Amino acid sequence: ADGYYEYPMFECVYSTSDYSDMVYLLSYSFNKVVDVQFNSTVGKFVGYTVEGVKYAENWNKDPAILQQIKAQVDRFCRHNAQIWDSSVRDKA
């Protein structure tokens, strides 16, 4: 039970059926505290702790990382939302 717990979490958030408001969130937490988060609406990483600010500064300097993460909105979120939503709507 003692020790450290570090984990990433991603979310796809939207409220319209055309997915025009789709937002991809990628958070890195340490012991239940969010250190750094990428928000596709903001388009960059934002640090919330001293360590998170350092991570965000480094990751935001790398255009390859930002391009890859920004692409997740289309590659992961919209793609899967269409699959999940159609399976729910077809059952109604």
Side-chain angles (χ1 to χ4, degrees):
D2 293 334
Y4 301 106
Y5 188 58
E6 184 175 26
Y7 58 97
M9 185 175 82
F10 62 87
E11 299 176 78
C12 300
V13 182
Y14 62 98
S15 61
T16 60
S17 60
D18 67 352
Y19 313 120
S20 60
D21 63 342
M22 182 75 69
V23 178
Y24 176 72
L25 301 171
L26 172 62
S27 304
Y28 289 94
S29 299
F30 181 74
N31 285 352
K32 299 182 184 179
V33 175
V34 176
D35 283 327
V36 63
Q37 182 181 64
F38 176 86
N39 180 322
S40 64
T41 303
V42 176
K44 65 179 185 176
F45 287 93
V46 176
Y48 297 103
T49 63
V50 174
E51 295 82 9
V53 169
K54 292 176 188 176
Y55 292 139
E57 288 174 354
N58 287 328
W59 292 338
N60 289 332
K61 290 178 188 175
D62 189 336
I65 290 175
L66 290 178
Q67 183 179 12
Q68 181 180 1
I69 298 296
K70 287 177 184 178
Q72 290 294 79
V73 174
D74 291 319
R75 182 174 45 238
F76 180 76
C77 289
R78 283 193 180 97
H79 172 75
N80 286 316
Q82 290 170 347
I83 294 168
W84 297 327
D85 286 354
S86 68
S87 67
V88 171
R89 285 191 203 118
D90 292 345
K91 306 260 188 268

